[in-house]
Amino acid sequence: MSTLIANPIYDSVFKYMIANNKVAKILLSALLKKNVVKVVQINNEYAVPYSDDLSICRIDFGATVSEEIVLPNGKTEVKESLVTVELQKVYLASEVLRFRQYTGIHYCNPEMVHKANNEIVKEVADPMISVYILGHKLDVIDECVCYISREYRDYNGNKMDIKDPFAESLSHDSIIVQVPLLPNDNVKNRVEELFQVLNQTNKSADGHFISIDESKYSGDEEFSEIIRILKGAACDSEIRLTMMLEDEILRDLKDLHLTVRMQKEQLAKKEGQLAEQKEQLAKKEGQLAEQKEQLAEQKEQLAEQKEQLAKSVKLLASLNLSTADIARQLEITEDDVLRMLND
């Protein structure tokens, strides 16, 4: 039986869903592939309020992770550790700089740094994982869920099975989920399964709701909990109104992006035309310089010819030829002959 739930691609619905502590633990446990036993949503006072950044939803969590580790003596021990999860949900394609700036804010946050009981490293930072839920496809990564993990390696590339507080404080892992690549069938992992609530192939005409076949997930208590919360969001009049407002904002953003893209294209075209004009001008300047050079050569040749002619006039005059005879023989005027003789 199909059930309509509110579409979590909308920020208002996603925040409503993730604000539920149980749902947050379910989703983060699936993403981290670890048992998250406690979640605290962090209010990031350092967030920069970009006026054109409404297409990015950002939520930070402090997650307590429980892991079973094997001790050197072969026995197992349950260990709890704290990790900061920086979650960013993006509907429209956005500039990388925005993500880098937000991550940089966390690295600059002094509250994430604590004193360490270590003689060498005096302070350590909470481990951080960045989660990107993208409403668009990437150019190269063709997997719905992709993990970018750090590795310790020596100079020769050999993997080192260690973790150092200093290195852990200055680097972090990332998880990317591409919503358009969510499969309708043949779900491969728990993240793809739980994130079916974001599968846009089953959305309503206005995009506000998603149709889910609950019978496919009977017995899955975690998925049922997420469905329950999203059913509640679908019935919430304030959430539904906010979705309509988000539609208007999104339309404005798309119009703005289209306008900016067209302006960039026009600017690029004008820059191309300007470059072409500069090239033509440079070509004309080159031709002009070449013409000037040719003119200078012609003037030089003319001066040489005049000098040679003057020598010829003086030579003939030394042979006692009359002015008229010199003029006739050299095919010049008698005035020219007299002028050259007087120079």
Side-chain angles (χ1 to χ4, degrees):
M1 181 181 68
S2 293
T3 302
L4 286 180
I5 60 173
N7 188 351
I9 202 70
Y10 285 86
D11 290 352
S12 54
V13 180
F14 188 84
K15 289 177 180 177
Y16 182 95
M17 174 184 70
I18 208 75
N20 181 278
N21 195 266
K22 190 172 181 179
V23 171
K25 286 193 289 185
I26 291 169
L27 293 178
L28 291 180
S29 293
L31 285 165
L32 302 181
K33 294 189 283 189
K34 295 178 181 178
N35 181 28
V36 176
V37 295
K38 183 180 178 182
V39 172
V40 177
Q41 189 166 323
I42 302 171
N43 292 322
N44 189 354
E45 298 176 357
Y46 297 89
V48 180
Y50 292 108
S51 60
D52 62 341
D53 213 18
L54 299 175
S55 61
I56 302 179
C57 170
R58 297 181 170 111
I59 307 172
D60 300 331
F61 298 95
T64 302
V65 177
S66 175
E67 295 180 273
E68 190 175 83
I69 60 173
V70 180
L71 300 174
N73 59 10
K75 294 183 179 181
T76 59
E77 180 182 83
V78 176
K79 181 182 178 182
E80 290 189 354
S81 58
L82 181 66
V83 60
T84 299
V85 180
E86 172 195 279
L87 189 150
Q88 300 189 64
K89 183 183 72 67
V90 189
Y91 185 69
L92 299 174
S94 188
E95 292 85 358
V96 171
L97 181 60
R98 292 182 178 181
F99 301 110
R100 289 175 61 87
Q101 286 175 329
Y102 190 67
T103 300
I105 289 170
H106 285 89
Y107 274 97
C108 294
N109 187 350
E111 294 182 3
M112 292 184 64
V113 180
H114 312 285
K115 289 184 178 180
N117 297 322
N118 192 307
E119 294 182 0
I120 300 175
V121 180
K122 303 299 182 182
E123 295 178 326
V124 293
D126 294 334
M128 186 175 74
I129 298 176
S130 294
V131 178
Y132 304 100
I133 301 174
L134 307 181
H136 59 87
K137 294 180 183 179
L138 296 175
D139 292 333
V140 178
I141 301 173
D142 58 3
E143 282 290 332
C144 176
V145 186
C146 177
Y147 289 79
I148 297 93
S149 305
R150 297 161 296 163
E151 288 185 343
Y152 291 74
R153 293 185 179 273
D154 63 17
Y155 180 82
N156 296 316
N158 300 311
K159 190 173 180 180
M160 303 163 64
D161 191 18
I162 58 171
K163 282 191 176 182
D164 182 84
F166 178 80
E168 291 296 307
S169 298
L170 296 174
S171 55
H172 68 281
D173 296 339
S174 298
I175 305 170
I176 298 174
V177 180
Q178 298 181 75
V179 172
L181 296 182
L182 282 167
N184 294 320
D185 300 303
N186 302 321
V187 173
K188 294 180 290 187
N189 54 64
R190 188 58 172 164
V191 174
E192 289 184 354
E193 190 169 39
L194 294 177
F195 273 66
Q196 286 301 310
V197 296
L198 275 159
N199 194 328
Q200 300 302 297
T201 58
N202 301 317
K203 67 181 179 181
S204 59
D206 60 5
H208 292 181
F209 306 99
I210 288 180
S211 177
I212 288 285
D213 185 358
E214 284 192 85
S215 62
K216 291 173 62 176
Y217 307 98
S218 59
D220 189 333
E221 294 183 4
E222 292 183 338
F223 197 89
S224 297
E225 180 64 19
I226 297 173
I227 293 297
R228 184 184 71 81
I229 296 299
L230 291 176
K231 280 183 179 178
C235 298
D236 190 311
S237 59
E238 187 174 343
I239 292 290
R240 296 173 72 161
L241 176 61
T242 307
M243 281 193 283
M244 294 173 64
L245 294 174
E246 284 187 54
D247 284 337
E248 293 180 13
I249 293 172
L250 188 59
R251 278 194 295 269
D252 291 342
L253 279 173
K254 286 182 175 179
D255 290 342
L256 176 62
H257 289 179
L258 179 60
T259 301
V260 170
R261 187 169 69 249
M262 290 176 64
Q263 288 176 344
K264 285 182 177 179
E265 289 174 356
Q266 291 173 355
L267 180 60
K269 186 177 180 181
K270 288 180 180 178
E271 287 177 347
Q273 292 172 345
L274 181 61
E276 186 177 345
Q277 289 172 357
K278 284 183 178 180
E279 185 178 350
Q280 292 174 351
L281 180 60
K283 187 176 179 180
K284 289 179 179 178
E285 288 176 347
Q287 292 172 345
L288 182 60
E290 187 177 345
Q291 289 173 356
K292 286 182 177 179
E293 186 178 347
Q294 291 174 352
L295 182 60
E297 289 178 359
Q298 291 172 357
K299 286 182 177 179
E300 186 177 348
Q301 291 173 357
L302 182 59
E304 290 178 358
Q305 290 173 0
K306 285 183 177 180
E307 185 179 354
Q308 187 62 39
L309 184 60
K311 288 180 180 180
S312 299
V313 168
K314 290 177 181 180
L315 177 61
L316 293 174
S318 66
L319 297 175
N320 297 321
L321 267 68
S322 65
T323 302
D325 290 337
I326 295 173
R328 185 170 55 255
Q329 190 169 337
L330 296 178
E331 297 181 349
I332 58 177
T333 65
E334 291 185 28
D335 290 339
D336 289 336
V337 173
L338 292 172
R339 186 171 58 254
M340 291 179 191
L341 289 172
N342 293 327
D343 286 344

